[in-house]
Amino acid sequence: GCGAKVGASTLSRVLKRMKAQQQQQQQQPSAAGAAVAAAAVDVELLQQVQLGVDDAALLPAPPPGHLLVSTIDFFRAFWPDAYLLGRIAANHALGDCYAMGATPSSALALAVVPYGPGRFQEAELGDMLEGALQVLSAAGCELVGGHSSEGPELSAGFAITGHVKPADVLTKSGLQPGQALILTKALGTGCIMAAAMRGQAKGRWISSCLEAMAVSSAGAARILRQHGCSAATDVTGFGLLGHAVEMGRASQVKLELSLPAVPALPGAAECISAGMLSSLHPTNTKAAAAVVDNHQQLQGQALHPLLFDPQTAGGLLAGVDAGAADACVEALRQAGYADACVVGTVLERLQSKGDAGEEPHVPLVTILLGQLQLPSAEAQGGRP
């Protein structure tokens, strides 16, 4: 129960540190400040409600005609750095909002800090929230409260609220036959971190992986929208294939994914070849077996497990008209999403509406087989 909460004095010192950081960042123009100013609310009343003092947050109404979007993500630490965990957890939670075409506006933090002396808990919680606050502030998303407790290991999550115009909503059900499927980030965070936890990953692999997880999908979502994206999702725990199946099922279409086209993070192939896979990997593999029509042939591909690899703060998977796909990928790469590429195609619609909904074992995906285009030795060696 509430006996597991972090002590009041520890929490008070952390909140004092966060308020100082927020005050510095609030002096800079942001999307959150613009939203407050545009809303017909009593701004003075909102300012009276303080982070960590009042029982709940007061939020301004969304812009007229906008819908509210709400999402939450939470996970255990996978690397012994609370600051990095805060950045990546915030980035991961924001991904759902961007995948829906929405603008994030506020966040509630969920934190578990390990049992220990108050000064240790203060440092861990403070570092985690500092990292998160940097990411949230850059996104124009205000941290308005949260809940902290003690537990066996460091964990972090965020409940994000955003808003979107009805005409701009992106869902998984908007794929159209003939569209290209674009992926904005390389895969491999699951297997690389699994290897790191066993002491089997090289430092440059881990560094590249952590860097990839810290990259925001805000810019990617904007570029995809500019090129006519009609459906999107963020690739996270269920892996590329699992999330693609969700889109195909929701859109009532069949898909073709190209294994050779799938981008891999440096070290991902080596980790897979060594059998260093995430604990969620077997579940993802089992779930996908029934919906891949050439599953038996796929098993013969040495690096096919990359399709099932669970991602943390993964990229966006989106449907874009084939004629706009090349320009979209080029724009993504110019914006810093160096691994963005076309990984598949939307095929024909299913014959009846019940095919994918009522019959979950109907094959929805065909995998084009072949060798993955792996990062060159030069590219891997050039990373810190």
Side-chain angles (χ1 to χ4, degrees), residues 67-318:
L67 300 172
L68 284 175
V69 175
S70 182
T71 182
I72 187 171
D73 271 297
F74 181 85
F75 49 71
R76 299 178 299 170
F78 48 82
W79 189 247
D81 186 321
Y83 174 82
L84 270 178
L85 174 65
R87 288 184 60 84
I88 292 170
N91 200 34
H92 184 87
L94 288 168
D96 285 330
C97 206
Y98 294 134
M100 295 288 290
T103 299
S105 55
S106 65
L108 294 170
L110 303 169
V112 177
V113 293
Y115 303 111
R119 65 182 183 278
F120 171 77
Q121 293 182 332
E122 179 182 342
E124 289 283 274
L125 183 58
D127 288 349
M128 189 272 283
L129 290 177
E130 181 179 348
L133 197 55
Q134 288 188 358
V135 170
L136 295 170
S137 296
C141 184
E142 185 177 4
L143 181 63
V144 296
H147 186 83
S148 58
S149 64
E150 297 179 314
E153 56 188 341
L154 184 66
S155 303
F158 295 88
I160 305 291
T161 298
H163 57 87
V164 60
K165 294 179 181 178
D168 292 339
V169 172
L170 293 175
T171 67
K172 299 175 185 177
S173 62
L175 291 178
Q176 303 295 324
Q179 285 185 324
L181 291 172
I182 293 177
L183 180 65
T184 64
K185 286 188 183 184
L187 305 179
T189 65
C191 59
I192 291 172
M193 295 316 299
M197 291 174 186
R198 296 169 173 84
Q200 299 296 312
K202 294 183 178 181
R204 64 176 181 269
W205 301 347
I206 298 170
S207 178
S208 296
C209 182
L210 294 173
E211 287 175 9
M213 288 189 280
V215 173
S216 169
S217 288
R222 184 165 53 251
I223 291 168
L224 290 167
R225 169 62 72 185
Q226 291 169 352
H227 289 81
C229 170
S230 65
T233 190
D234 60 333
V235 178
T236 52
F238 299 148
L240 173 61
L241 186 54
H243 288 287
V245 167
E246 287 183 335
M247 294 185 78
R249 188 169 287 147
S251 300
Q252 297 288 305
V253 294
K254 292 188 176 182
L255 307 175
E256 180 180 81
L257 293 178
S258 173
L259 180 60
V262 173
L265 287 169
E270 289 87 341
C271 293
I272 289 173
S273 297
M276 299 292 173
L277 303 175
S278 166
S279 58
L280 186 58
H281 194 276
T283 302
N284 287 351
T285 302
K286 183 178 180 181
V291 292
V292 175
D293 63 3
N294 59 336
H295 185 259
Q296 287 298 114
Q297 295 92 325
L298 180 62
Q299 303 306 300
Q301 302 291 302
L303 298 180
H304 77 275
L306 188 65
L307 296 174
F308 311 113
D309 192 54
Q311 304 302 290
T312 299
L316 299 177
L317 179 64

Side-chain angles (χ1 to χ4, degrees), residues 42-51 53-56 58:
D42 189 333
V43 177
E44 184 177 350
L45 176 60
L46 289 174
Q47 292 175 341
Q48 290 175 6
V49 179
Q50 301 178 43
L51 176 66
V53 175
D54 290 284
D55 292 316
L58 288 180

